[in-house]
């Protein structure tokens, strides 16, 4: 099922909006990959990196938004 992260219109800065999206994205990765803290840091970082690479590869519009937004 598709999930959606929605942002409020009023953020103090673009960086705050970008950080919020990345924060929620990592929560989503943990949920989808069923990552658990007890699995250890190296495993968790590896899983998150794999998912982030896929997200970047599959969503060039998101990457462009992130680049534009983080500098505001």
């Amino acid at each position: 099922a598709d999930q959606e992260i929605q942002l409020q219109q009023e953020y103090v800065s673009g960086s705050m909006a970008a950080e919020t999206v990345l924060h929620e994205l990592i929560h989503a990765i943990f949920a989808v990959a069923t990552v658990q803290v007890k699995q250890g840091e190296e495993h968790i970082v590896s899983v998150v990196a794999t998912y982030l690479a896929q997200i970047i590869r599959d969503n060039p519009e998101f990457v462009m938004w992130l680049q534009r937004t983080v500098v505001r």
Side-chain angles (χ1 to χ4, degrees):
D2 288 343
Q3 298 293 318
E4 189 174 295
I5 296 171
Q6 295 182 355
L7 289 175
Q8 298 174 4
Q9 289 293 331
E10 309 202 0
Y11 276 89
V12 175
S13 69
S15 289
M16 187 176 178
E19 290 167 14
T20 299
V21 168
L22 291 171
H23 175 100
E24 296 303 325
L25 191 59
I26 292 170
H27 276 301
I29 290 170
F30 270 58
V32 169
T34 60
V35 173
Q36 298 174 8
V37 174
K38 67 182 179 183
Q39 292 172 308
E41 181 180 346
E42 194 60 36
H43 174 77
I44 293 168
V45 170
S46 180
V47 169
V48 170
T50 299
Y51 275 87
L52 285 174
Q54 180 178 349
I55 290 164
I56 290 166
R57 185 174 47 250
D58 294 347
N59 298 280
E61 302 87 11
F62 170 67
V63 174
M64 288 188 293
W65 173 85
L66 198 56
Q67 289 173 323
R68 284 190 316 271
T69 304
V70 77
V71 297
R72 290 193 263 144

